[in-house]
Amino acid sequence: MLATTYRRPYRVAARQVPDPVIEHPFDAIVRVTRTCICGSDLHLYHGLVPDTRVGSVFGHEFTGEVVEVGNGVERLKVGDRVLVPFNIFCGTCYFCQRELYSNCHNVNPSATAVGGIYGYSNTTGGYAGGQAEYVRVPFADIGPTVIPDDIDIEDAVLLTDVVPTGYQAAEMGDIKENDTVVVFGAGPVGIMAARSAWLMGAGRVIVVDHVDYRLDFVRAYGPAETVDFREVGDMAIHIKKMTDGLGADVCIDAVGCEAAGSALQQLTGVTMKLQAGAATVLHWAINSVRKGGNVSIVGVYGPTFNAVPIGNAVNKGLTLRMNQASVKRHLPRLIEHVRAGRLNPKAIITHRVPLEEVSDAYEMFSGKKDGCIKAVLIPPTATGSSVKTPNPSIVPGEPA
């Protein structure tokens, strides 16, 4: 089958690899119909995630059709259209029972913190990803959700990660009615966090980034006020000036380890790898939120040391919450938001690209070229697919 394989930093290629097979009675084989490039895939692409092996198949956002099931699978059947959360989880361990699916205790022998993730290096279990024609799905009765007939496939593929992650980012902020929420990062997750903040009662949403077309997009889609950090001297002072001197009620880090904005953080966290990524946004969030405020972190960082101003957080009495999104927990609510028109996930898709052209798609997304917000890959075996030209549509929203 054709799949996106890692060759070296800044180099992926669509190559032929062996088809997946049933390895356990609870497995299913899914023929992929849509799959996405995620912002966190760029950390792999840039060579920042340990134990990313040559030949690894990338991709943790995908939908598909079940083509084979193991003899222990009872709930799924061949022919079901499914969306597959990026988390791999058993459904029965201590953490799964508490709906902390991203922290499943049984699916990742390589780590004691994060659970299993499709296509995200051996540090998350070494599972092959979904940027491919077919993928093996473990615990097939637990993870996948059958796509309702009234949900568009391009909405469904964004429900595998981007929408739930942005939604959980807002949820972890514990937003109260009329709160001011600052979202750092106008990528897909930041855009969805901004949109979700309105659903939770925010009175004001501000998004910080430095890419003009992304700021334009989130102004319309969020809708949100925007700040270009290239025009700001001190972020904390700037946010406080925007908020009557107090600071934001909630700050959300939707950027993670490759944040721009500080030459020193870039040098130590990205170039020299002396810390687990540039902690620029963590500083901005902790210092920009008001005393007693909340900081929510969904940006990806490595498992080792980061230079974080924890003393400021303590002295300000902040609440910090963070995790990978537990996708399955959010799906019933998010499907209802999509049905009601409060969320329009597919509106952030700007590019639909054949899987065969994945190398160009990564270069475009990484380089922030051609107005790319979100790229969807379409495998050649996706029946009924029509590969469309880039569609940089912006669908303005209203606070819900």
PDB file of all heavy atoms in Angstrom, residues 143-178:
ATOM      1  N   GLY A 143     -12.127   2.345  20.429  1.00  0.00           N
ATOM      2  CA  GLY A 143     -11.731   3.665  19.931  1.00  0.00           C
ATOM      3  C   GLY A 143     -12.601   4.244  18.837  1.00  0.00           C
ATOM      4  O   GLY A 143     -13.148   5.341  18.982  1.00  0.00           O
ATOM      5  N   PRO A 144     -12.758   3.566  17.716  1.00  0.00           N
ATOM      6  CA  PRO A 144     -13.470   4.164  16.580  1.00  0.00           C
ATOM      7  C   PRO A 144     -14.926   4.490  16.899  1.00  0.00           C
ATOM      8  O   PRO A 144     -15.582   3.819  17.697  1.00  0.00           O
ATOM      9  CB  PRO A 144     -13.385   3.077  15.502  1.00  0.00           C
ATOM     10  CG  PRO A 144     -12.226   2.230  15.892  1.00  0.00           C
ATOM     11  CD  PRO A 144     -12.192   2.251  17.392  1.00  0.00           C
ATOM     12  N   THR A 145     -15.425   5.539  16.247  1.00  0.00           N
ATOM     13  CA  THR A 145     -16.831   5.918  16.326  1.00  0.00           C
ATOM     14  C   THR A 145     -17.422   5.838  14.929  1.00  0.00           C
ATOM     15  O   THR A 145     -16.838   6.372  13.970  1.00  0.00           O
ATOM     16  CB  THR A 145     -16.981   7.351  16.866  1.00  0.00           C
ATOM     17  OG1 THR A 145     -16.597   7.366  18.255  1.00  0.00           O
ATOM     18  CG2 THR A 145     -18.417   7.852  16.740  1.00  0.00           C
ATOM     19  N   VAL A 146     -18.542   5.171  14.794  1.00  0.00           N
ATOM     20  CA  VAL A 146     -19.227   5.108  13.502  1.00  0.00           C
ATOM     21  C   VAL A 146     -19.719   6.506  13.142  1.00  0.00           C
ATOM     22  O   VAL A 146     -20.340   7.201  13.964  1.00  0.00           O
ATOM     23  CB  VAL A 146     -20.391   4.105  13.540  1.00  0.00           C
ATOM     24  CG1 VAL A 146     -21.176   4.138  12.231  1.00  0.00           C
ATOM     25  CG2 VAL A 146     -19.865   2.696  13.805  1.00  0.00           C
ATOM     26  N   ILE A 147     -19.423   6.949  11.935  1.00  0.00           N
ATOM     27  CA  ILE A 147     -19.794   8.293  11.497  1.00  0.00           C
ATOM     28  C   ILE A 147     -21.299   8.331  11.207  1.00  0.00           C
ATOM     29  O   ILE A 147     -21.786   7.562  10.367  1.00  0.00           O
ATOM     30  CB  ILE A 147     -19.013   8.695  10.234  1.00  0.00           C
ATOM     31  CG1 ILE A 147     -17.500   8.653  10.501  1.00  0.00           C
ATOM     32  CG2 ILE A 147     -19.426  10.094   9.760  1.00  0.00           C
ATOM     33  CD1 ILE A 147     -16.643   8.833   9.252  1.00  0.00           C
ATOM     34  N   PRO A 148     -22.042   9.200  11.882  1.00  0.00           N
ATOM     35  CA  PRO A 148     -23.476   9.314  11.579  1.00  0.00           C
ATOM     36  C   PRO A 148     -23.696   9.708  10.120  1.00  0.00           C
ATOM     37  O   PRO A 148     -22.874  10.414   9.518  1.00  0.00           O
ATOM     38  CB  PRO A 148     -23.949  10.419  12.528  1.00  0.00           C
ATOM     39  CG  PRO A 148     -22.933  10.448  13.632  1.00  0.00           C
ATOM     40  CD  PRO A 148     -21.631  10.092  12.991  1.00  0.00           C
ATOM     41  N   ASP A 149     -24.795   9.277   9.559  1.00  0.00           N
ATOM     42  CA  ASP A 149     -25.070   9.530   8.143  1.00  0.00           C
ATOM     43  C   ASP A 149     -25.151  11.015   7.818  1.00  0.00           C
ATOM     44  O   ASP A 149     -24.890  11.417   6.679  1.00  0.00           O
ATOM     45  CB  ASP A 149     -26.382   8.848   7.740  1.00  0.00           C
ATOM     46  CG  ASP A 149     -26.265   7.323   7.713  1.00  0.00           C
ATOM     47  OD1 ASP A 149     -25.121   6.825   7.619  1.00  0.00           O
ATOM     48  OD2 ASP A 149     -27.311   6.654   7.800  1.00  0.00           O
ATOM     49  N   ASP A 150     -25.532  11.832   8.801  1.00  0.00           N
ATOM     50  CA  ASP A 150     -25.700  13.263   8.522  1.00  0.00           C
ATOM     51  C   ASP A 150     -24.444  14.082   8.801  1.00  0.00           C
ATOM     52  O   ASP A 150     -24.484  15.310   8.761  1.00  0.00           O
ATOM     53  CB  ASP A 150     -26.877  13.830   9.332  1.00  0.00           C
ATOM     54  CG  ASP A 150     -26.687  13.677  10.836  1.00  0.00           C
ATOM     55  OD1 ASP A 150     -25.870  12.824  11.253  1.00  0.00           O
ATOM     56  OD2 ASP A 150     -27.355  14.411  11.595  1.00  0.00           O
ATOM     57  N   ILE A 151     -23.327  13.422   9.079  1.00  0.00           N
ATOM     58  CA  ILE A 151     -22.069  14.124   9.328  1.00  0.00           C
ATOM     59  C   ILE A 151     -21.161  13.963   8.110  1.00  0.00           C
ATOM     60  O   ILE A 151     -20.844  12.845   7.696  1.00  0.00           O
ATOM     61  CB  ILE A 151     -21.360  13.593  10.594  1.00  0.00           C
ATOM     62  CG1 ILE A 151     -22.222  13.850  11.830  1.00  0.00           C
ATOM     63  CG2 ILE A 151     -19.994  14.244  10.759  1.00  0.00           C
ATOM     64  CD1 ILE A 151     -22.469  15.300  12.159  1.00  0.00           C
ATOM     65  N   ASP A 152     -20.747  15.092   7.542  1.00  0.00           N
ATOM     66  CA  ASP A 152     -19.868  15.086   6.374  1.00  0.00           C
ATOM     67  C   ASP A 152     -18.515  14.479   6.740  1.00  0.00           C
ATOM     68  O   ASP A 152     -18.000  14.689   7.835  1.00  0.00           O
ATOM     69  CB  ASP A 152     -19.687  16.528   5.881  1.00  0.00           C
ATOM     70  CG  ASP A 152     -18.912  16.600   4.580  1.00  0.00           C
ATOM     71  OD1 ASP A 152     -17.668  16.586   4.639  1.00  0.00           O
ATOM     72  OD2 ASP A 152     -19.536  16.674   3.517  1.00  0.00           O
ATOM     73  N   ILE A 153     -17.951  13.752   5.800  1.00  0.00           N
ATOM     74  CA  ILE A 153     -16.678  13.076   6.072  1.00  0.00           C
ATOM     75  C   ILE A 153     -15.564  14.065   6.417  1.00  0.00           C
ATOM     76  O   ILE A 153     -14.675  13.773   7.215  1.00  0.00           O
ATOM     77  CB  ILE A 153     -16.274  12.171   4.887  1.00  0.00           C
ATOM     78  CG1 ILE A 153     -15.116  11.259   5.279  1.00  0.00           C
ATOM     79  CG2 ILE A 153     -15.927  13.013   3.654  1.00  0.00           C
ATOM     80  CD1 ILE A 153     -14.804  10.206   4.254  1.00  0.00           C
ATOM     81  N   GLU A 154     -15.614  15.265   5.847  1.00  0.00           N
ATOM     82  CA  GLU A 154     -14.552  16.236   6.130  1.00  0.00           C
ATOM     83  C   GLU A 154     -14.755  16.914   7.487  1.00  0.00           C
ATOM     84  O   GLU A 154     -13.798  17.393   8.081  1.00  0.00           O
ATOM     85  CB  GLU A 154     -14.445  17.244   4.993  1.00  0.00           C
ATOM     86  CG  GLU A 154     -13.906  16.599   3.725  1.00  0.00           C
ATOM     87  CD  GLU A 154     -13.568  17.598   2.641  1.00  0.00           C
ATOM     88  OE1 GLU A 154     -14.075  18.743   2.685  1.00  0.00           O
ATOM     89  OE2 GLU A 154     -12.800  17.225   1.731  1.00  0.00           O
ATOM     90  N   ASP A 155     -15.986  16.954   7.981  1.00  0.00           N
ATOM     91  CA  ASP A 155     -16.193  17.323   9.374  1.00  0.00           C
ATOM     92  C   ASP A 155     -15.695  16.196  10.276  1.00  0.00           C
ATOM     93  O   ASP A 155     -15.041  16.431  11.293  1.00  0.00           O
ATOM     94  CB  ASP A 155     -17.672  17.595   9.660  1.00  0.00           C
ATOM     95  CG  ASP A 155     -18.165  18.900   9.081  1.00  0.00           C
ATOM     96  OD1 ASP A 155     -17.399  19.893   9.083  1.00  0.00           O
ATOM     97  OD2 ASP A 155     -19.316  18.941   8.618  1.00  0.00           O
ATOM     98  N   ALA A 156     -15.986  14.965   9.890  1.00  0.00           N
ATOM     99  CA  ALA A 156     -15.626  13.808  10.710  1.00  0.00           C
ATOM    100  C   ALA A 156     -14.121  13.702  10.900  1.00  0.00           C
ATOM    101  O   ALA A 156     -13.644  13.413  12.007  1.00  0.00           O
ATOM    102  CB  ALA A 156     -16.181  12.523  10.085  1.00  0.00           C
ATOM    103  N   VAL A 157     -13.339  13.925   9.843  1.00  0.00           N
ATOM    104  CA  VAL A 157     -11.888  13.751   9.982  1.00  0.00           C
ATOM    105  C   VAL A 157     -11.306  14.782  10.937  1.00  0.00           C
ATOM    106  O   VAL A 157     -10.317  14.514  11.644  1.00  0.00           O
ATOM    107  CB  VAL A 157     -11.183  13.782   8.607  1.00  0.00           C
ATOM    108  CG1 VAL A 157     -11.104  15.193   8.029  1.00  0.00           C
ATOM    109  CG2 VAL A 157      -9.786  13.160   8.706  1.00  0.00           C
ATOM    110  N   LEU A 158     -11.929  15.951  11.034  1.00  0.00           N
ATOM    111  CA  LEU A 158     -11.434  16.958  11.970  1.00  0.00           C
ATOM    112  C   LEU A 158     -11.899  16.690  13.396  1.00  0.00           C
ATOM    113  O   LEU A 158     -11.360  17.277  14.348  1.00  0.00           O
ATOM    114  CB  LEU A 158     -11.861  18.353  11.519  1.00  0.00           C
ATOM    115  CG  LEU A 158     -11.256  18.789  10.182  1.00  0.00           C
ATOM    116  CD1 LEU A 158     -11.714  20.190   9.812  1.00  0.00           C
ATOM    117  CD2 LEU A 158      -9.731  18.727  10.203  1.00  0.00           C
ATOM    118  N   LEU A 159     -12.861  15.787  13.559  1.00  0.00           N
ATOM    119  CA  LEU A 159     -13.280  15.374  14.899  1.00  0.00           C
ATOM    120  C   LEU A 159     -12.350  14.329  15.504  1.00  0.00           C
ATOM    121  O   LEU A 159     -12.521  13.935  16.652  1.00  0.00           O
ATOM    122  CB  LEU A 159     -14.708  14.820  14.859  1.00  0.00           C
ATOM    123  CG  LEU A 159     -15.815  15.839  14.578  1.00  0.00           C
ATOM    124  CD1 LEU A 159     -17.150  15.136  14.403  1.00  0.00           C
ATOM    125  CD2 LEU A 159     -15.908  16.883  15.686  1.00  0.00           C
ATOM    126  N   THR A 160     -11.355  13.866  14.748  1.00  0.00           N
ATOM    127  CA  THR A 160     -10.408  12.886  15.279  1.00  0.00           C
ATOM    128  C   THR A 160      -9.334  13.510  16.153  1.00  0.00           C
ATOM    129  O   THR A 160      -8.671  12.806  16.914  1.00  0.00           O
ATOM    130  CB  THR A 160      -9.729  12.108  14.134  1.00  0.00           C
ATOM    131  OG1 THR A 160      -8.957  13.016  13.336  1.00  0.00           O
ATOM    132  CG2 THR A 160     -10.754  11.405  13.259  1.00  0.00           C
ATOM    133  N   ASP A 161      -9.141  14.848  16.041  1.00  0.00           N
ATOM    134  CA  ASP A 161      -8.082  15.495  16.816  1.00  0.00           C
ATOM    135  C   ASP A 161      -8.313  16.993  16.957  1.00  0.00           C
ATOM    136  O   ASP A 161      -8.500  17.507  18.061  1.00  0.00           O
ATOM    137  CB  ASP A 161      -6.716  15.230  16.168  1.00  0.00           C
ATOM    138  CG  ASP A 161      -5.548  15.886  16.914  1.00  0.00           C
ATOM    139  OD1 ASP A 161      -5.779  16.533  17.937  1.00  0.00           O
ATOM    140  OD2 ASP A 161      -4.401  15.738  16.458  1.00  0.00           O
ATOM    141  N   VAL A 162      -8.314  17.720  15.844  1.00  0.00           N
ATOM    142  CA  VAL A 162      -8.257  19.179  15.883  1.00  0.00           C
ATOM    143  C   VAL A 162      -9.398  19.795  16.692  1.00  0.00           C
ATOM    144  O   VAL A 162      -9.184  20.622  17.579  1.00  0.00           O
ATOM    145  CB  VAL A 162      -8.250  19.752  14.452  1.00  0.00           C
ATOM    146  CG1 VAL A 162      -8.457  21.258  14.471  1.00  0.00           C
ATOM    147  CG2 VAL A 162      -6.933  19.428  13.768  1.00  0.00           C
ATOM    148  N   VAL A 163     -10.624  19.389  16.375  1.00  0.00           N
ATOM    149  CA  VAL A 163     -11.773  19.979  17.072  1.00  0.00           C
ATOM    150  C   VAL A 163     -11.787  19.575  18.548  1.00  0.00           C
ATOM    151  O   VAL A 163     -11.909  20.436  19.427  1.00  0.00           O
ATOM    152  CB  VAL A 163     -13.092  19.621  16.367  1.00  0.00           C
ATOM    153  CG1 VAL A 163     -14.266  20.241  17.109  1.00  0.00           C
ATOM    154  CG2 VAL A 163     -13.076  20.108  14.920  1.00  0.00           C
ATOM    155  N   PRO A 164     -11.653  18.278  18.887  1.00  0.00           N
ATOM    156  CA  PRO A 164     -11.628  17.927  20.313  1.00  0.00           C
ATOM    157  C   PRO A 164     -10.467  18.563  21.083  1.00  0.00           C
ATOM    158  O   PRO A 164     -10.623  18.923  22.253  1.00  0.00           O
ATOM    159  CB  PRO A 164     -11.496  16.397  20.292  1.00  0.00           C
ATOM    160  CG  PRO A 164     -12.019  15.980  18.973  1.00  0.00           C
ATOM    161  CD  PRO A 164     -11.648  17.076  18.026  1.00  0.00           C
ATOM    162  N   THR A 165      -9.314  18.714  20.439  1.00  0.00           N
ATOM    163  CA  THR A 165      -8.187  19.318  21.138  1.00  0.00           C
ATOM    164  C   THR A 165      -8.448  20.794  21.418  1.00  0.00           C
ATOM    165  O   THR A 165      -8.193  21.289  22.534  1.00  0.00           O
ATOM    166  CB  THR A 165      -6.897  19.137  20.327  1.00  0.00           C
ATOM    167  OG1 THR A 165      -6.614  17.731  20.195  1.00  0.00           O
ATOM    168  CG2 THR A 165      -5.713  19.799  21.021  1.00  0.00           C
ATOM    169  N   GLY A 166      -8.962  21.512  20.425  1.00  0.00           N
ATOM    170  CA  GLY A 166      -9.314  22.909  20.665  1.00  0.00           C
ATOM    171  C   GLY A 166     -10.413  23.048  21.694  1.00  0.00           C
ATOM    172  O   GLY A 166     -10.389  23.944  22.550  1.00  0.00           O
ATOM    173  N   TYR A 167     -11.391  22.149  21.642  1.00  0.00           N
ATOM    174  CA  TYR A 167     -12.511  22.176  22.583  1.00  0.00           C
ATOM    175  C   TYR A 167     -12.018  21.894  24.003  1.00  0.00           C
ATOM    176  O   TYR A 167     -12.392  22.589  24.959  1.00  0.00           O
ATOM    177  CB  TYR A 167     -13.543  21.152  22.156  1.00  0.00           C
ATOM    178  CG  TYR A 167     -14.835  21.182  22.939  1.00  0.00           C
ATOM    179  CD1 TYR A 167     -15.841  22.090  22.619  1.00  0.00           C
ATOM    180  CD2 TYR A 167     -15.052  20.296  23.980  1.00  0.00           C
ATOM    181  CE1 TYR A 167     -17.038  22.115  23.322  1.00  0.00           C
ATOM    182  CE2 TYR A 167     -16.250  20.304  24.693  1.00  0.00           C
ATOM    183  CZ  TYR A 167     -17.229  21.214  24.358  1.00  0.00           C
ATOM    184  OH  TYR A 167     -18.408  21.229  25.067  1.00  0.00           O
ATOM    185  N   GLN A 168     -11.162  20.868  24.158  1.00  0.00           N
ATOM    186  CA  GLN A 168     -10.640  20.558  25.490  1.00  0.00           C
ATOM    187  C   GLN A 168      -9.756  21.676  26.009  1.00  0.00           C
ATOM    188  O   GLN A 168      -9.717  21.939  27.214  1.00  0.00           O
ATOM    189  CB  GLN A 168      -9.884  19.225  25.480  1.00  0.00           C
ATOM    190  CG  GLN A 168      -9.390  18.822  26.873  1.00  0.00           C
ATOM    191  CD  GLN A 168      -8.915  17.394  26.943  1.00  0.00           C
ATOM    192  OE1 GLN A 168      -9.607  16.469  26.524  1.00  0.00           O
ATOM    193  NE2 GLN A 168      -7.715  17.191  27.491  1.00  0.00           N
ATOM    194  N   ALA A 169      -9.047  22.356  25.113  1.00  0.00           N
ATOM    195  CA  ALA A 169      -8.234  23.497  25.537  1.00  0.00           C
ATOM    196  C   ALA A 169      -9.113  24.546  26.208  1.00  0.00           C
ATOM    197  O   ALA A 169      -8.762  25.104  27.254  1.00  0.00           O
ATOM    198  CB  ALA A 169      -7.509  24.103  24.344  1.00  0.00           C
ATOM    199  N   ALA A 170     -10.266  24.826  25.596  1.00  0.00           N
ATOM    200  CA  ALA A 170     -11.197  25.786  26.188  1.00  0.00           C
ATOM    201  C   ALA A 170     -11.811  25.229  27.466  1.00  0.00           C
ATOM    202  O   ALA A 170     -11.948  25.937  28.469  1.00  0.00           O
ATOM    203  CB  ALA A 170     -12.277  26.148  25.177  1.00  0.00           C
ATOM    204  N   GLU A 171     -12.170  23.956  27.455  1.00  0.00           N
ATOM    205  CA  GLU A 171     -12.768  23.332  28.636  1.00  0.00           C
ATOM    206  C   GLU A 171     -11.817  23.383  29.831  1.00  0.00           C
ATOM    207  O   GLU A 171     -12.230  23.704  30.960  1.00  0.00           O
ATOM    208  CB  GLU A 171     -13.134  21.885  28.306  1.00  0.00           C
ATOM    209  CG  GLU A 171     -13.744  21.123  29.476  1.00  0.00           C
ATOM    210  CD  GLU A 171     -13.805  19.638  29.206  1.00  0.00           C
ATOM    211  OE1 GLU A 171     -12.735  19.007  29.046  1.00  0.00           O
ATOM    212  OE2 GLU A 171     -14.927  19.093  29.159  1.00  0.00           O
ATOM    213  N   MET A 172     -10.544  23.065  29.612  1.00  0.00           N
ATOM    214  CA  MET A 172      -9.580  23.070  30.714  1.00  0.00           C
ATOM    215  C   MET A 172      -9.340  24.474  31.258  1.00  0.00           C
ATOM    216  O   MET A 172      -8.855  24.635  32.377  1.00  0.00           O
ATOM    217  CB  MET A 172      -8.266  22.427  30.269  1.00  0.00           C
ATOM    218  CG  MET A 172      -8.357  20.931  30.025  1.00  0.00           C
ATOM    219  SD  MET A 172      -6.749  20.101  29.811  1.00  0.00           S
ATOM    220  CE  MET A 172      -6.072  20.964  28.394  1.00  0.00           C
ATOM    221  N   GLY A 173      -9.666  25.497  30.466  1.00  0.00           N
ATOM    222  CA  GLY A 173      -9.559  26.864  30.947  1.00  0.00           C
ATOM    223  C   GLY A 173     -10.641  27.243  31.933  1.00  0.00           C
ATOM    224  O   GLY A 173     -10.577  28.308  32.545  1.00  0.00           O
ATOM    225  N   ASP A 174     -11.657  26.370  32.094  1.00  0.00           N
ATOM    226  CA  ASP A 174     -12.752  26.620  33.036  1.00  0.00           C
ATOM    227  C   ASP A 174     -13.329  28.021  32.821  1.00  0.00           C
ATOM    228  O   ASP A 174     -13.461  28.820  33.752  1.00  0.00           O
ATOM    229  CB  ASP A 174     -12.266  26.441  34.475  1.00  0.00           C
ATOM    230  CG  ASP A 174     -13.419  26.359  35.471  1.00  0.00           C
ATOM    231  OD1 ASP A 174     -14.539  26.011  35.059  1.00  0.00           O
ATOM    232  OD2 ASP A 174     -13.199  26.683  36.660  1.00  0.00           O
ATOM    233  N   ILE A 175     -13.679  28.301  31.585  1.00  0.00           N
ATOM    234  CA  ILE A 175     -14.145  29.635  31.188  1.00  0.00           C
ATOM    235  C   ILE A 175     -15.497  29.939  31.833  1.00  0.00           C
ATOM    236  O   ILE A 175     -16.425  29.136  31.778  1.00  0.00           O
ATOM    237  CB  ILE A 175     -14.254  29.721  29.652  1.00  0.00           C
ATOM    238  CG1 ILE A 175     -12.868  29.543  29.024  1.00  0.00           C
ATOM    239  CG2 ILE A 175     -14.887  31.037  29.215  1.00  0.00           C
ATOM    240  CD1 ILE A 175     -12.901  29.290  27.534  1.00  0.00           C
ATOM    241  N   LYS A 176     -15.569  31.108  32.450  1.00  0.00           N
ATOM    242  CA  LYS A 176     -16.819  31.589  33.029  1.00  0.00           C
ATOM    243  C   LYS A 176     -17.449  32.628  32.100  1.00  0.00           C
ATOM    244  O   LYS A 176     -16.781  33.177  31.223  1.00  0.00           O
ATOM    245  CB  LYS A 176     -16.558  32.217  34.400  1.00  0.00           C
ATOM    246  CG  LYS A 176     -15.903  31.285  35.412  1.00  0.00           C
ATOM    247  CD  LYS A 176     -16.818  30.136  35.787  1.00  0.00           C
ATOM    248  CE  LYS A 176     -16.304  29.366  37.004  1.00  0.00           C
ATOM    249  NZ  LYS A 176     -15.018  28.689  36.768  1.00  0.00           N
ATOM    250  N   GLU A 177     -18.722  32.901  32.323  1.00  0.00           N
ATOM    251  CA  GLU A 177     -19.443  33.848  31.486  1.00  0.00           C
ATOM    252  C   GLU A 177     -18.740  35.204  31.471  1.00  0.00           C
ATOM    253  O   GLU A 177     -18.358  35.738  32.515  1.00  0.00           O
ATOM    254  CB  GLU A 177     -20.875  34.008  31.980  1.00  0.00           C
ATOM    255  CG  GLU A 177     -21.741  34.839  31.055  1.00  0.00           C
ATOM    256  CD  GLU A 177     -23.193  34.872  31.482  1.00  0.00           C
ATOM    257  OE1 GLU A 177     -23.521  34.226  32.506  1.00  0.00           O
ATOM    258  OE2 GLU A 177     -23.990  35.528  30.795  1.00  0.00           O
ATOM    259  N   ASN A 178     -18.519  35.718  30.258  1.00  0.00           N
ATOM    260  CA  ASN A 178     -17.899  37.029  30.007  1.00  0.00           C
ATOM    261  C   ASN A 178     -16.397  37.066  30.268  1.00  0.00           C
ATOM    262  O   ASN A 178     -15.802  38.143  30.268  1.00  0.00           O
ATOM    263  CB  ASN A 178     -18.596  38.140  30.804  1.00  0.00           C
ATOM    264  CG  ASN A 178     -20.004  38.380  30.316  1.00  0.00           C
ATOM    265  OD1 ASN A 178     -20.273  38.328  29.117  1.00  0.00           O
ATOM    266  ND2 ASN A 178     -20.932  38.616  31.251  1.00  0.00           N
TER     267      ASN A 178
END
